Every structure is written in C-alpha cells, then in structure tokens.
Amino acid sequence: MSSRRALRRRDAVVRILLLFGALVGFLLPLLWTALASFGLLPDNAARPPSLKGPITLDHFLEIGVAEPTFWQELITSTGAAACATVVAIVCSFLAAFGLARSRFAGKPLLTEGFLVLASLPAMAYVIPLSDLMRRAHLADTFIGVVLTEAAVMAPLAVYVLHGALRQLSAEWEEAAVLDGAGLFRVLSEVVLPLSAPSVAATAIVLFVLAWNLLLVPLVLTSGEIKTVPVAMMDFFTFERELDWPTAAAALVVSLVPVAILGGIFHRVLERFTLDVGHTA
Amino acid sequence: MRLTRRDRLFLFAPLAVLLTGWLGLPALLGLFATFSTYSPFATSIHFAGLSNYLSVIEDRQFGAAVRNITIFTVVAVPLELAIGFGVAYLLRRPIRGRGLLRLLLLLPWLVSPIANGVMWHFLLVGAHSILDFAGGWLAQSSIVSPIGDARLALPTIIAVEIWREAPFVAFLLLPGLLAVPAELWEHATLDGASWIEQVFTVALPSLRPLLLAITMLLVGLSLGTFDSVLILTGGGPGSASVTPALYSYNQAFVINNWPAGAASAWLIALAVLGVGLFYINLAKRSVTR
C-alpha cells in the first residue's frame, strides 16, 4: 500500500513540475514583453547578460507619440468588437433556438455545416466582400466593419449556442406557453435566463475573436476607421520602424482589455463548451 | 415549444440576412468573378474560363505557398492538439489555484495574431532579443535570427502559431475532460491502468467528437494563416514561408492583380470545404455508432 502512496506522490510532483514548465513556456514571452514595456531591457553585450534599465512608464506615453491616434483606435476597436459581438450573439441566439426546437432531415448536416463555415478563413471571401462593400458605400464605415465582423463570427456562435440550448429541457417553455406566453416572452423570460452563462461565455470568446481580427478591418477600411490590429500592422510594415519598448507598451495595452475581461469573467468563461452535437 | 411559421421567420431571418449579405453573396459573386476578367478597376469584363485558376496554379510563388501550408498544417495541428490535451490533462484534477492557472494559460490566445507577430519579431531579432540573451548565458557570441534563414523561417512561424493556439485547445478540451464520468476513471484506476492507458482507454474515446470538431477548427485556421506571417517574415526569405492567404492578399491588395487574388482565395475555400465534407462524414459516423 505504501508503495502505491509513494507512486501517487511521485505523480503529483511530476504533475506540478509539468504545469510549472507549461506556465513558464507560455508566459515567459509575455513576461519579457511586459518587462520591456516598463523599461527593463536585456543587456546582451554584458557577460553574462542581464536585465537592466530604469523602470519607467514613459514608453506608454511614447505610444501616443509614435501613433498619435492610438488611443482613438483603442476606443474604435473596443466599440467595434462590442457591437459585432452583440449583433452576432443576437442573430445566433435566435437561430440556435430555432434550430434546437426544430426537427428536419438535414439538421445534423446543417449544424455541422455551421462548424465548417466557422472554420472557413475570412480570406476565402473577403476580397469580393471588400468590393461589394465599397459599392454599397459601407466601406470605411463603422457599421460596415461591425456587420462584417459579426458575420465572420456568427457561424461559431450558432454552433456553440445550439449545443447549449439543445440541452435545456423544454418543460419550462411548455409551462410558459400554457400560461399564454408568446415566443418573445418565452425567449426573454425562460430561455435566456436559463442559458445566460453559456450566452455570456460565448459573448466573451466572440469579443476576443473580434478584438483580434485583422484582415476584415484591414481590407474594409482605408484609414477612416482604424482598429488596434490594423494600426499595429501599419506601425510595423511602413516606414516607421518602432522601438521595442514602445512596441512592447502597445502590445501590453492591446492585451489589457481582453485580459481584464477574461479575469473578471473567468468563472463564466469556464462554461464555454463546444458541446458537440453528434454525441447525442 | 411548437414553432409557427411566423416564429421561424423571426428566429432565422436575422442570421440569414447577416450570413447571406456578408458571407454567402460575396463568396458566390466572387466565385463567378473568378471565371472572368473582372476587377473593380477593369473597364471591360469578359469571360475568362479557367485561365485565372491556371495562372495561379502555374505561379511558382503559389506552389511554394501550397507546399508551406501543407507542412504547416500537418505539423502544427497535431502538435497543438497534443500540447493542448497535455495541458488540459494536467488541469483535470483539482489543484489549488486552478481557476487562475486556466486563465494564465489562456493568455497567449488572447494576444492577437498580429501582436503575436510583432512580439516574436522583437523576441527573435535585434539587440534586445531573448535569443541573444539566452545565448549570452550559454557563452555564445550572437545567435542569427531564425526568421531570416530560409530553412528556419517556416519552422519558426509554426512554433509561434503553436504557442498561440495550444492554450486555446486546452481551454476547449478541459470542459470535455471534466465531463467524463468519474466512474470511468475509477474503473481504470482500480484495474491498475497506467496514466498512458487511461489517456487511451478513457480520455481519448470520450473526447473523440470534441477532438474532431476542434481539429476542424484548427485545420481551417491554419489553412488561412495570414497575420503572423505577414509581420514576422512577410513570406520570406524568398518564398520560404509564404502562405496561400498571404499570396491572395498580396495579389489582390498589393499588386492589384484582382483575378489572381480572388481565384487563389477560392482555392483556399475549396480546400477548407473539402476538409469540411470529410469532417461531416466522420461526425455522422459517430452518430450511427
């Protein structure tokens, strides 16, 4: 018996060591970046190399010098990602409920089709889309970016929300219907409250995806509406070669909103599951 | 509840409008346009048959892109799955601070692909690189940046992508692992199964549908690889790390060869839809079982 206990203890130690290794591997590059943004830079000429430099917040101010509109772009990015998330969630929630409460022959095919659609890279259709949007006078508009980002994310949202809504027992809805509730009341007073954690978790994931989109805002805009990823690409590909500490500060700032969101809602985020339809 | 026709209209119309207008319609119009000489700047348009596709396929740059993305997908997707599974498996049993650990281990995925490219550029190139720092400790004078080397550019891009996606895989897999009934683990433990046996007899069979779905997402994601390559190597040196998506982008938006851009983009779509059909087939089979 004692040998089994020793074995178990060994397993626990190995597990902690591996977790620590994973943590170092995944976080070291981010830590390096965070240190640089505060002015702690490596001195690679010294032997052995060391980190040094006065700790300062100046590099965060330099972002605004290198890219005068950066703070504006941060607001645009947040607004666009938030609006696109709301549009995608509303459309997907309604359709996912409809799908979960319908029965027809090709339904499994359609559901899995949404996952395939979610896997389709935006590059596959963004070239004609940019042309179409220009002709519809939606290029370089906030609403154009929002609707396109929503369309990019909606298939994944339908797939995930369908998985969540499918599992809700229909009893509560039936009871509400017997009480004379229409579809709208059933949705807002029964279905939404019961599925709120899944909907919130999906919304957070969509916000992160939208926040990080580059290609869509890049080809739909020509400078009027600029999101942070587009600005970052501009910084970098055009003549303005950035200092590492300033770039690091911009990286940290661009990560902060999603990290805060993740931090506040990490309990909710744990409810995000790709509940796969074909298990049932 | 029973849905009336009006209910259905209310439920499905918004999504249908969004997906038709902003995805289906452009994709189809784009498809038609690839069989013509259409471009937004063209003054006259005529039928071109398959010539746009032929010129893309004959382009050496595109050939290199297809080769690169094949290697990329074949290497990156299994490693992302394996590492993601490993991390999720380590987090399976409760440990103090698991919530915080989960969040910290998700951080790389929160970094946008473009920011990821910028970050790794500075980590690998220049006076402040982490490579030189590590090299200094190992008494190496200076390490040549791997992204300027034709043989190392693609492996570097792949590694950077794995670093960003593996945490997301872990995030998606952990709920699935936690949903595996406790009896299954107990039986395996009582049978004296080693952890490797437990992975193969308990974890992987229960996760099969989820793993399939995640694989589908990862394959699509990797076939569309664009942002990080654009920043890290720009496809270079030469065409050592160019990808089909970068090729389409350059054709359509940089050198204004619209037909070639649209045609090569459709080839990406075709590849993803092909994988999608294969996926749906596999998914269907696990229903009938």
Side-chain angles (χ1 to χ4, degrees), chain A residues 11-278:
Chain A
D11 277 1
V13 170
V14 169
R15 177 167 172 245
I16 290 188
L17 284 178
L18 283 173
L19 267 175
F20 184 72
L23 216 51
V24 170
F26 285 113
L27 295 187
L28 188 63
L30 293 171
L31 186 67
W32 192 262
T33 308
L35 290 178
S37 72
F38 291 109
L40 264 177
L41 292 168
D43 178 6
N44 289 343
R47 282 293 173 268
S50 58
L51 282 174
K52 66 175 190 191
I55 295 179
T56 164
L57 290 175
D58 287 352
H59 301 302
F60 290 92
L61 300 173
E62 284 162 15
I63 304 173
V65 179
E67 174 80 5
T69 49
F70 185 81
W71 305 105
Q72 170 64 41
E73 288 148 12
L74 203 65
I75 296 170
T76 308
S77 258
T78 315
C83 293
T85 302
V86 170
V87 173
I89 286 284
V90 169
C91 294
S92 308
F93 177 77
L94 294 177
F97 179 75
L99 207 56
R101 294 291 176 267
S102 307
R103 269 194 209 147
F104 52 91
K107 190 178 145 187
L109 188 75
L110 185 67
T111 324
E112 296 305 329
F114 276 110
L115 186 75
V116 175
L117 214 52
S119 313
L120 191 67
M123 194 68 228
Y125 52 88
V126 89
I127 297 175
L129 181 67
S130 70
D131 182 30
L132 220 59
M133 297 289 274
R134 197 150 293 128
R135 287 172 194 272
H137 301 290
L138 281 170
D140 249 333
T141 63
F142 185 76
I143 185 105
V145 173
V146 165
L147 289 174
T148 311
E149 292 190 351
V152 169
M153 300 183 303
L156 182 67
V158 174
Y159 188 79
V160 174
L161 291 177
H162 172 256
L165 294 178
R166 206 171 47 101
Q167 293 178 335
L168 287 186
S169 146
E171 280 171 37
W172 298 95
E173 293 159 34
E174 304 301 346
V177 171
L178 285 180
D179 281 350
L183 176 64
F184 186 75
R185 269 191 55 202
V186 168
L187 283 177
S188 61
E189 286 172 25
V190 180
V191 183
L192 190 57
L194 287 175
S195 61
S198 305
V199 173
T202 311
I204 293 168
V205 171
L206 292 197
F207 182 87
V208 174
L209 288 172
W211 174 263
N212 287 343
L213 283 179
L214 167 74
L215 193 57
V216 166
L218 182 64
V219 303
L220 290 184
T221 59
S222 53
E224 293 290 310
I225 304 289
K226 215 183 216 181
T227 61
V228 171
V230 176
M232 236 172 228
M233 190 199 126
D234 280 357
F235 260 1
F236 214 69
T237 39
F238 296 134
E239 69 289 351
R240 289 170 287 176
E241 183 65 35
L242 267 189
D243 273 355
W244 167 225
T246 318
L251 291 174
V252 169
V253 172
S254 78
L255 184 57
V256 161
V258 280
I260 289 179
L261 200 66
I264 296 175
F265 294 107
H266 75 273
R267 288 265 167 245
V268 174
L269 212 49
E270 284 170 17
R271 297 293 292 268
F272 185 86
T273 47
L274 267 185
D275 175 69
V276 178
H278 50 258

